[in-house]
Amino acid sequence: MSEKNREETLGLTLTALLKARSLSMRKLSSLTGIDTASISRIISGKQKAKLNHLETFAFHLGVPTAQLFQAAGFDITMPQPEGHSDIYTSISSVQKILQSSNLIDHLFTAELVQKELIKYEQYALTEEGRQIIIDDFPSKVASVNGAGPFIDGLKQMYLQFCENDNTSQRRALLGSALLYFVMSADLIPDYVFPLGYLDDAIAVQLVLDRLNQSDN
């Protein structure tokens, strides 16, 4: 779909939704906090809608976010490599998907995930960090409802984290992945389905790699 066609499709979709809900652009502006001029430019195709625009519009217009993503021409399908279903086999392929989908403003890299994990390592050794993991991990896993094979890895990490005979280094590494998942400080927002949990999956893989290195 060409850029022009994407903008026209989104504009027509938003116009139809506003009409169906008897809303003016001014009223939508009041609901969303997005100024009326920006909404007008997005609908007319003079301004490209950002990810947060689409999410906010979808919430206040009562439609799935994916519907507006599709109307805006975003390709958020995730191709599976031949012979593999592993969600974190290739960090470079994840980066290519994100770049082609144009959903993330900044460059997504494994280094960014690693930096976030390092921030959580010391926190995982505190009583507050430990309590967050113990209390919040089960409910967060339940809310994901099997979003990816990395969930099995996280469940194993959780069980290992709860063991009493861990070294401080091992507990910090395990806790960093669990806190990254629980606290939702995602580099890719969870609502960007099906890409939203890929950074969590990569976080799991990075921690597993470090655990394997420390065990050898």
Side-chain angles (χ1 to χ4, degrees):
M1 184 187 296
S2 69
E3 188 76 20
K4 185 173 184 297
N5 287 340
R6 283 197 296 266
E7 291 165 352
E8 288 178 350
T9 301
L10 178 60
L12 291 171
T13 300
L14 290 173
T15 299
L17 289 169
L18 288 173
K19 183 177 181 180
R21 287 153 180 74
S22 299
L23 292 174
S24 65
M25 284 188 282
R26 187 180 299 275
K27 181 61 177 177
L28 183 62
S29 172
S30 176
L31 291 171
T32 62
I34 301 170
D35 65 271
T36 306
S38 293
I39 294 174
S40 177
R41 287 194 296 269
I42 289 171
I43 289 177
S44 66
K46 295 178 180 178
Q47 178 178 330
K48 186 175 182 179
K50 295 181 180 179
L51 180 61
N52 63 303
H53 290 150
L54 297 175
E55 184 198 16
T56 304
F57 289 153
F59 177 80
H60 289 284
L61 292 172
V63 296
T65 307
Q67 180 180 337
L68 296 189
F69 283 170
Q70 185 177 13
F74 289 123
D75 179 10
I76 58 173
T77 58
M78 186 177 68
Q80 292 289 335
E82 288 186 17
H84 276 286
S85 59
D86 192 334
I87 201 170
Y88 43 68
T89 50
S90 173
I91 290 173
S92 62
S93 67
V94 173
Q95 183 169 317
K96 289 177 182 177
I97 292 169
L98 291 170
Q99 288 174 324
S100 64
S101 68
N102 199 30
L103 288 173
I104 306 300
D105 291 335
H106 57 71
L107 182 64
F108 174 79
T109 65
E111 286 75 14
L112 288 174
V113 177
Q114 186 63 63
K115 286 179 181 178
E116 292 298 312
L117 289 170
I118 290 172
K119 292 178 184 177
Y120 285 130
E121 285 181 18
Q122 291 305 310
Y123 189 41
L125 296 177
T126 67
E127 179 58 28
E128 182 180 10
R130 187 191 75 84
Q131 203 60 50
I132 288 173
I133 293 170
I134 298 299
D135 292 345
D136 296 347
F137 178 79
S139 59
K140 181 62 183 285
V141 167
S143 71
V144 171
N145 194 25
F150 73 99
I151 290 295
D152 290 336
L154 279 170
K155 288 179 179 178
Q156 290 299 316
M157 287 181 173
Y158 178 73
L159 293 175
Q160 293 173 31
F161 181 84
C162 294
E163 294 174 356
N164 295 321
D165 57 350
N166 284 310
T167 64
S168 294
Q169 180 187 14
R170 186 174 182 82
R171 186 179 296 275
L173 288 173
L174 291 167
S176 67
L178 295 169
L179 284 170
Y180 185 99
F181 175 68
V182 167
M183 299 184 72
S184 298
D186 293 347
L187 297 175
I188 311 173
D190 290 345
Y191 56 75
V192 185
F193 185 82
L195 302 177
Y197 291 100
L198 285 175
D199 59 328
D200 297 276
I202 289 172
V204 169
Q205 188 60 51
L206 289 172
V207 168
L208 287 175
D209 289 345
R210 290 186 64 189
L211 287 170
N212 289 334
Q213 290 172 9
S214 65
D215 290 341
N216 294 331

